[in-house]
Amino acid sequence: MPVFAAFKALATRNQRPLEVIDTTPRKRRMPAGHRQWIEDSMGWLLEEFGPDLLNQPILQPADLIPAGYDGSADAARALFAQVCARMAVDAETIDLRFDLNELSEQLPADLLEQGPTDQHLHELVQGQFGLWRRSADRNLIRVSASLLEQPEVLVAVLAHEVGHEVLLGSGRLATYRIDQEALIDLFAVYAGFGIFMANAAHHSIPDGDEGRRVARFYLREHALSDSLAYYALLRSERALPAWQQQLDWSVRIRTISRLHKLKEAAQASN
């Protein structure tokens, strides 16, 4: 079977509707299907932020992570500054802490005293790697310290959390939208962090349960692959973009297959 036919066959077998995790943690499907949602939402992002951000070079690990990255808080803050710069956010206006694990451990005792509002926060923190919260002085981003030694995953998580600052902190996005978190994931792709997001979409549970994997983001791996394909189409990338070599294998084959179909459809409509 030709290689591209194999790509298409595997991608077809793995097509599933987009599911968005909420904090209960129920799952929701996008109205009209995830691919239509991606196209409509990318259109909205293009209207909001214009083509300049979209057309900046896509970010690759070697662009952000130095060879001597040592897993320290200072090294992680340097990555944070680069994420903020790409998204036109002043890093000094955000309080960044690497204490999400500690927060999760402290919450159960706090809940006994502070009531149901904190129960919502507790449920959120238990399953997340990053958390953005509005504050009177400086908005706060908390990240799991376990990510300090995983710089590519850390960049993806920071891109999502800084996306909160851009979309929610600015009032561009209403907090009651059911697709709020998924749209923030998509904004990270639009801003050039799609390689990091897609490669970090899942992680293994280190509890001896072999093969058990959970989603890190609200867009799943297949939806992030489709998002990257549509991102490449909007950028008028010719043939296969060179950056696809940076994608994990499963992400790469889905992205290539979807991009091929999108280009076929665009040519047929002309």
Side-chain angles (χ1 to χ4, degrees), residues 27-221:
K27 298 176 181 178
R28 290 172 174 157
R29 295 181 179 179
M30 293 301 183
H34 81 267
R35 287 176 173 167
Q36 186 62 54
W37 176 87
I38 288 168
E39 294 184 18
D40 293 345
S41 299
M42 279 285 197
W44 180 80
L45 290 170
L46 186 59
E47 290 178 1
E48 285 290 313
F49 297 97
D52 289 347
L53 180 59
L54 173 71
N55 291 321
Q56 288 189 45
I58 191 170
L59 292 162
Q60 302 181 43
D63 298 329
L64 297 182
I65 303 168
Y69 178 84
D70 61 6
S72 66
D74 286 344
R77 289 183 185 280
L79 292 181
F80 176 67
Q82 293 181 82
V83 172
C84 287
R86 182 59 173 253
M87 293 186 172
V89 171
D90 183 355
E92 296 299 321
T93 64
I94 301 174
D95 183 8
L96 175 65
R97 304 178 191 175
F98 302 103
D99 64 351
L100 191 59
N101 304 89
E102 290 82 355
L103 176 64
S104 180
E105 293 169 359
Q106 294 168 5
L107 276 173
D110 294 343
L111 297 180
L112 298 176
E113 302 175 2
Q114 297 181 25
T117 299
D118 292 278
Q119 177 64 40
H120 174 79
L121 176 60
H122 176 255
E123 291 169 347
L124 177 64
V125 168
Q126 290 294 327
Q128 299 301 310
F129 300 86
L131 178 67
W132 175 89
R133 296 198 75 188
R134 197 184 302 275
S135 177
D137 298 323
R138 294 194 301 166
N139 291 343
L140 171 65
I141 289 177
R142 282 186 149 117
V143 176
S144 171
S146 66
L147 299 184
L148 291 174
E149 296 182 358
Q150 305 175 65
E152 293 187 25
V153 178
L154 177 61
V155 168
V157 171
L158 289 173
H160 176 87
E161 300 309 327
V162 177
H164 274 273
E165 181 74 15
V166 175
L167 294 180
L168 294 179
S170 66
R172 282 187 171 97
L173 188 61
T175 57
Y176 57 78
R177 285 183 57 156
I178 65 168
D179 64 346
Q180 170 206 137
E181 295 285 354
L183 189 54
I184 290 171
D185 283 344
L186 192 66
F187 172 68
V189 175
Y190 185 90
F193 294 93
I195 292 172
F196 294 91
M197 298 291 292
N199 285 348
H202 290 83
H203 80 296
S204 298
I205 297 293
D207 61 358
D209 189 357
E210 186 176 354
R212 184 182 172 201
R213 304 180 79 205
V214 299
R216 273 198 175 95
F217 303 113
Y218 294 82
L219 292 185
R220 306 304 174 88
E221 182 181 287

